[in-house]
Amino acid sequence: MSREIGEVILDLKNVSLAFGGVKALTDISFDVREHEIRAIIGPNGAGKSSMLNVINGVYRPQQGEIVLRGRRFARMNPYKAAQAGISRTFQNIALFKGMSVIDNIMTGRNLKIRTNLLLQALWWGPARREELAHRAKVEEVIDFLEIQHIRKTPVGRLPYGLQKRVDLGRALAMEPSILLLDEPMAGMNVEEKQDMCRFILDVNDQFGTTIVLIEHDMGVVMDISDRVVVLDYGKKIGDGDPDAVRSNPEVVSAYLGAGH
Amino acid sequence: MPELASTQALDTFPRLLFHHAQVRASKTAMREKDLGIWQCWTWLEVAAEVRALACGLAEMGFTRGENLAIVGDNRPRMYMMMAAVQCLGGVPVPLYQDAVANELLFVLLDGEIRFVFVEDQEQVDKVLEIQAQLPHLEHLFYDDARGMRHYTQAFIHDVRELMAMGKIHHRNHPDLLAEAIASGHADDVSVMLYTSGTTGKPKGVRLTHRAFIAAAQGGVDFDDLTDSEDILSYLPMAWVGDHLFSYAQAMVAGFTINCPESAETVMNDLREIGPTYYFAPPRVFENLLTQVMIRMEDASRVKQKMFHYFMAVARRCGAEILDQRPVGLADRLRYALGRMLVYGPLKNVLGMSRIRVAYTAGAAIGPDLFRFYRSIGINLKQLYGQTETCAYVCLQPDGQIKFDSVGRPAPGVEVRIAENGEILVKGAMLLKEYYRRPDATAEAINADGYFMTGDAGLFDDDGHLKIIDRAKDVGKLANGAMYAPNYIENKLKFFQHIKEAVVFGDRRTMVCAFVNIDIGAVGNWAERRGIAYSGYTDLAAKPEVYGLIEECIEQVNRELVGEGVLGDSQIHRFLILHKELDPDDDELTRTRKVRRNFVAEKYAVLIEALYAGRQSQFIETAVKFEDGRQGKVAADLVIRDVRTFPLARKAA
């Protein structure tokens, strides 16, 4: 493996998040190292998605701080997160259903577009050159994810598994350094899951992208992740490599169940 | 171009290539869609890449007469590698890209192959899987570097490294390639194609430059092909059809070959390229038509009405207009209107607007299907040939199209019918030999130099050849009547709901059949009737589906009664198989022909049930999934009787 796990790139310190009286996250700390695949697991309502939302600034925790590449953020917001190279996919696909695959992935390049609206509307001069360059990048993503055959299909007409792949494509188009995946394999059949696993591993391997993912499929998590954080009722109950987590009695009783 | 002295005859493919690089240097020779854009190579650029590849191979120690295996989808560099190997007097051996590792093993061992060129990681993995069993393998080159970063084996190389090495080699030895090409001979073997092996192990068919150039030149002259044709190269490179149309004819005529982006995008790419010259096996035409019909059923009423009205007009006079036969003025006007409203747009959707000539071969094509394409103005023709004859024996001449024949013997080809009905052919396009199988070569070519095709056929009154069946498959029923299984199976397969059929009857009292339904067409049919099903096995067992297939078979029986001697071959009983016949389970060849004996053996219990008069039979079958895992499919198959029709026997 040429991929080597590096220093801590993202560090969450004592994060607590509450919605009124409901405590979603209580005093959670964990870190993510560069180039690793970090999984967050836990039963329904454990606070996994809230955790991702905290990382990219959708939610603002009442306590705690996020340290991203040595910079402290008491308050992250989605724009800052995106600028800092964090992109994400969503549990319930957030794509423009009426737009084609290309256009959807192109929206992932939005932050990188430099020319102004007027030039873009006229599609003239620098705007045109810029769009061609972005389009070339989008084509690389399409090639990477092997979705050439649906390039011009409206996303709403695609099967669920492919929509998930397009969602990943949109996130990849940002050329992120950290990729947050919220249940990338939910609702997929075995074959689609295998494909998705391969793409996640390839992204991590070829681009060195750090990946934080939430996933319910234990087989998948244990197979592809380097380290796993386990949440239960908003608390961290386990953290470590897959084998350590699997043999942690607290995790077993809370999540994996007696049958495992 | 130093590789080509002007005095040399253009009698080998490398000479043809470097000739084109001189006379049509800046004309596009190859296109491939990559990253959404059609990338082009001119003849000059192709020649330069071929030179780099060839010199690289020479540097690596590739020797004259040696075989080099090529495994992958149609990619420009795959075709260039063929030419590069030929430059050095070697023999390219294209293999089916979907062959499993064991199938590769046979060929790589048989050909004592040291050099293998594959498309991508998937193919590399296949070769690595069997590497331990390949004592000859020395170098493995790949075209697509994706996913190859962690392969550290010293014998695996990126083809770009090979080309870089070749460029340096060429600078140091500028005359080597020219000498290699000059010492090539028209009677050298230019390519080795493995036959799909309907019977036994595949055999390597060795074809010379002379044979393939003769076949290509004949075809080019026959249809007046020019260097401005565009052809879509999407059929397996290991198939003789692709080698003739995409390689040999393109090299002879100097036209452009276009490689699709991926197997899934072929339909789109077809539309974008709009080829002028097109070659496809019948099933491709059939799939296209099925898609059109399914989409028409979802169209608005007005559109449906318009479509059906004008298709009726086209059926009545379209083929006649294409053949320039007299047609009444009223029909001509209707057809012209139809061209504007229906046929034109339809051809555009199919990517066939620019087609001048289209060919189909490889299997029998249904008359309705054939008529459909011709009636909307596509000059679809049939040809007949096999790997051993460079797919060049008979061609249908423009304006003389008969649905049930494969046309007249092509220029330069001599065709004879043996006493047992077998078709014998002779000409420049014949194979040199089967690789290391003098016994098989002696068996296939008779004392007079005729190749025995193994097909049974006859000439009609106009001198058109009609193929009935494989000569060895033609048998007799227990009562002595002639029995031609493929003929009956083809009749069945012409129904859109039937994908495959296998009939039995040789030396038996009656004919019975296995049927595979077409999951697309029957699934659609079921959905429209609100019949719920969970998968192939479930759908195949539905009584409604049995009813549907029964109607088809009854129709076949009705036709057979009218065909004299074949009237005894009416199908008495049938069942629908619980799984699709699949090349991965060895039931079909890679070109999707049924391995009759294998199927008969595997499903012996079903055949017994058919002839024992049972009403159902339990069976459990092992299947291989695409990822190599094994599983089992079990079902209780229903057997149905079909109505047969009395024969109008001559009063004795």
Side-chain angles (χ1 to χ4, degrees), chain A residues 233-248:
Chain A
Y233 293 110
K235 294 188 179 116
K236 184 167 103 171
I237 59 170
D239 191 352
D241 63 41
D243 287 332
V245 166
R246 213 189 315 239
S247 52
N248 179 337

Side-chain angles (χ1 to χ4, degrees), chain B residues 123-322:
Chain B
Q123 308 290 356
V124 170
D125 286 347
K126 265 197 255 176
V127 176
L128 289 181
E129 196 180 311
I130 51 171
Q131 185 206 349
Q133 303 166 63
L134 297 171
H136 311 293
L137 181 68
E138 285 176 23
H139 297 290
L140 177 60
F141 306 98
Y142 58 84
D143 185 20
D144 185 351
R146 177 167 178 193
M148 293 300 303
R149 293 196 321 155
H150 303 307
Y151 290 68
T152 51
Q153 292 91 329
F155 70 102
I156 301 181
H157 320 273
D158 190 323
V159 74
R160 273 152 287 264
E161 286 170 32
L162 179 75
M163 290 168 72
M165 201 188 294
K167 280 179 190 146
I168 297 168
H169 179 94
H170 184 65
R171 227 173 291 139
N172 298 336
H173 308 88
D175 299 328
L176 181 129
L177 191 60
E179 282 160 17
I181 292 173
S183 56
H185 194 273
D187 289 318
D188 288 347
V189 173
S190 75
V191 69
M192 172 152 75
L193 302 170
Y194 276 81
T195 55
S196 47
T198 329
T199 49
K201 282 285 180 196
K203 286 179 290 210
V205 180
R206 313 271 282 177
L207 296 152
T208 61
H209 290 271
R210 187 188 302 285
F212 247 117
I213 290 177
Q217 188 70 54
V220 167
D221 295 343
F222 191 80
D223 286 307
D224 297 324
L225 301 176
T226 66
D227 65 356
S228 54
E229 311 299 337
D230 265 300
I231 192 166
L232 191 73
S233 307
Y234 67 103
L235 296 164
M237 288 178 66
W239 190 40
V240 62
D242 185 70
H243 196 75
L244 176 66
F245 280 73
S246 297
Y247 188 79
Q249 290 193 344
M251 282 285 194
V252 165
F255 60 68
T256 310
I257 66 171
N258 298 278
C259 299
E261 189 166 22
S262 74
E264 291 85 40
T265 61
V266 168
M267 272 304 293
N268 273 326
D269 298 332
L270 186 66
R271 211 169 306 156
E272 288 175 8
I273 286 295
T276 61
Y277 186 41
Y278 185 60
F279 182 49
R283 79 190 136 80
V284 171
F285 287 105
E286 203 175 328
N287 287 346
L288 287 175
L289 179 59
T290 309
Q291 277 175 25
V292 168
M293 291 320 236
I294 287 173
R295 277 171 66 180
M296 266 330 288
E297 283 189 37
D298 290 330
S300 69
R301 271 197 111 114
V302 180
K303 281 185 186 162
Q304 280 193 28
K305 278 221 157 120
M306 196 168 80
F307 177 77
H308 290 300
Y309 173 78
F310 282 109
M311 284 320 297
V313 171
R315 261 195 299 280
R316 199 161 63 225
C317 64
E320 281 72 17
I321 288 173
L322 187 63

Side-chain angles (χ1 to χ4, degrees), chain A residues 175-221:
Chain A
E175 299 175 71
S177 56
I178 302 178
L179 183 60
L180 311 180
L181 304 175
D182 196 348
E183 301 210 14
M185 278 160 261
M188 286 188 172
N189 63 34
V190 176
E191 201 177 320
E192 288 169 334
K193 278 185 186 176
Q194 283 176 346
D195 283 347
M196 190 53 107
C197 278
R198 191 164 56 83
F199 288 126
I200 292 173
L201 289 170
D202 281 355
V203 168
N204 178 250
D205 182 47
Q206 289 194 19
F207 309 132
T209 312
T210 308
I211 291 170
V212 181
L213 83 141
I214 296 175
E215 185 48 54
H216 265 304
D217 187 318
M218 272 306 118
V220 167
V221 170

